[in-house]
Amino acid sequence: MKKLLSNIKIEIPEGIYLKDPESSTLGKKIIEHSIVLLEEIGFEDFTFKKLGKNIGSNESSIYRYFESKHKLLMYLTAWYWGWVEYQLVIETYSITDTSEKLKKAIEVVTKTTEQDNKYGHINEELLYSIIVNENSKAYYTKGVDQDNKEGFFMPYKRTVQRIAEIITAYSPTYKYPLSFASNLVEGALHQHFLKLHFKSITNCNSKITPTDFYTDLTFKTLLNVK
């Protein structure tokens, strides 16, 4: 079943892009090199001018695909969460034991991403680094409500909702599955960030992973209501 991932096109909400980058060689090149550049210099210093120089193309050609670097970041985060959602579905679909399904779901959304080469123009490992460091910048904006209304965050929201459903299946009487699921998703990214940058305020390290922490936290929390 894992091989199915290589045949699945990650669907991105329309409106984030002006022209689908998956529809052309240049578009895929823009995505490939934007991931490399964003991971290297960060969102604040990233510009379409710098990206254009890297890919040997005019800055104006990039604007035919995305109206701003913020929309490009939204595209990359939407792609990432769509990719995680597919993994979540495939990794848990055949598990009938609710405890094992929840454990697998936690693993999928908290583990460190490794490059798997299923999508040639997207380096998942570098993209994951961008998500850890830049994900919140996609929606911590004044326009978040309008962007949400347009459906730009659906892949992210569906991932949280799927985890909440798995939590409810394991613990039907637990009152806060959505809150817990969203905390799990965001908290895992934060723990990965702390592990990299603020080591003195997390127990996560080379031996203790965010997956270890959230597996322990989740089952100890839900044990009290089963």
Side-chain angles (χ1 to χ4, degrees), residues 1-12 22 28-29 31-33 35 75-76 78-87 90 113-127:
M1 287 299 292
K2 290 182 181 180
K3 292 182 179 179
L4 288 177
L5 277 172
S6 62
N7 299 317
I8 293 174
K9 182 181 184 297
I10 304 299
E11 296 294 334
I12 306 298
E22 295 289 332
K28 291 180 179 180
K29 195 173 183 180
I31 297 303
E32 178 182 3
H33 288 270
I35 291 172
Y75 179 95
L76 294 178
W79 192 97
Y80 173 80
W81 291 115
W83 181 65
V84 170
E85 182 187 14
Y86 276 124
Q87 290 184 83
I90 288 176
T113 297
E114 298 179 353
Q115 176 70 357
D116 63 11
N117 298 312
K118 288 187 174 71
Y119 299 90
H121 63 297
I122 294 182
N123 184 314
E124 294 93 344
E125 188 174 0
L126 292 182
L127 178 57

Side-chain angles (χ1 to χ4, degrees), residues 132-174:
V132 168
N133 290 285
E134 316 280 8
N135 179 65
S136 62
K137 296 171 188 176
Y139 55 83
Y140 279 175
T141 68
K142 285 292 185 180
V144 62
D145 291 330
Q146 181 60 37
D147 289 340
N148 186 41
K149 184 178 179 181
E150 296 290 333
F152 295 163
F153 306 113
M154 283 308 300
Y156 171 73
K157 291 165 66 177
R158 284 199 307 266
T159 299
V160 172
Q161 289 162 355
R162 286 185 184 278
I163 297 169
E165 291 171 0
I166 293 172
I167 290 172
T168 296
Y170 174 75
S171 182
T173 60
Y174 186 64

Side-chain angles (χ1 to χ4, degrees), residues 11-190:
E11 296 294 334
I12 306 298
E14 293 184 6
I16 291 180
Y17 53 83
L18 299 174
K19 179 180 178 181
D20 185 358
E22 295 289 332
S23 66
S24 71
T25 300
L26 175 60
K28 291 180 179 180
K29 195 173 183 180
I30 288 171
I31 297 303
E32 178 182 3
H33 288 270
S34 67
I35 291 172
V36 175
L37 188 59
L38 272 168
E39 198 280 330
E40 179 183 346
I41 67 175
F43 182 68
E44 285 77 12
D45 290 332
F46 177 92
T47 66
F48 283 173
K49 183 176 182 179
K50 292 177 181 177
L51 178 59
K53 184 178 180 180
N54 279 17
I55 65 176
S57 181
N58 294 327
E59 183 180 355
S60 59
S61 66
I62 302 172
Y63 278 107
R64 287 198 287 269
Y65 289 85
F66 298 99
E67 66 181 33
S68 67
K69 70 175 186 178
H70 179 247
K71 284 292 180 68
L72 173 57
L73 179 63
M74 291 175 69
Y75 179 95
L76 294 178
T77 57
W79 192 97
Y80 173 80
W81 291 115
W83 181 65
V84 170
E85 182 187 14
Y86 276 124
Q87 290 184 83
L88 191 61
V89 171
I90 288 176
E91 293 283 353
T92 63
Y93 88 103
S94 64
I95 303 175
T96 56
D97 181 87
T98 58
S99 175
E100 290 302 313
K101 178 169 283 196
L102 178 55
K103 187 179 297 184
K104 175 57 71 173
I106 294 168
E107 178 188 336
V108 169
V109 298
T110 62
K111 66 182 179 181
T112 300
T113 297
E114 298 179 353
Q115 176 70 357
D116 63 11
N117 298 312
K118 288 187 174 71
Y119 299 90
H121 63 297
I122 294 182
N123 184 314
E124 294 93 344
E125 188 174 0
L126 292 182
L127 178 57
Y128 179 71
S129 178
I130 293 170
I131 297 301
V132 168
N133 290 285
E134 316 280 8
N135 179 65
S136 62
K137 296 171 188 176
Y139 55 83
Y140 279 175
T141 68
K142 285 292 185 180
V144 62
D145 291 330
Q146 181 60 37
D147 289 340
N148 186 41
K149 184 178 179 181
E150 296 290 333
F152 295 163
F153 306 113
M154 283 308 300
Y156 171 73
K157 291 165 66 177
R158 284 199 307 266
T159 299
V160 172
Q161 289 162 355
R162 286 185 184 278
I163 297 169
E165 291 171 0
I166 293 172
I167 290 172
T168 296
Y170 174 75
S171 182
T173 60
Y174 186 64
K175 296 179 181 180
Y176 316 107
L178 283 167
S179 294
F180 198 97
S182 58
N183 183 277
L184 171 64
V185 168
E186 288 295 326
L189 293 179
H190 188 57

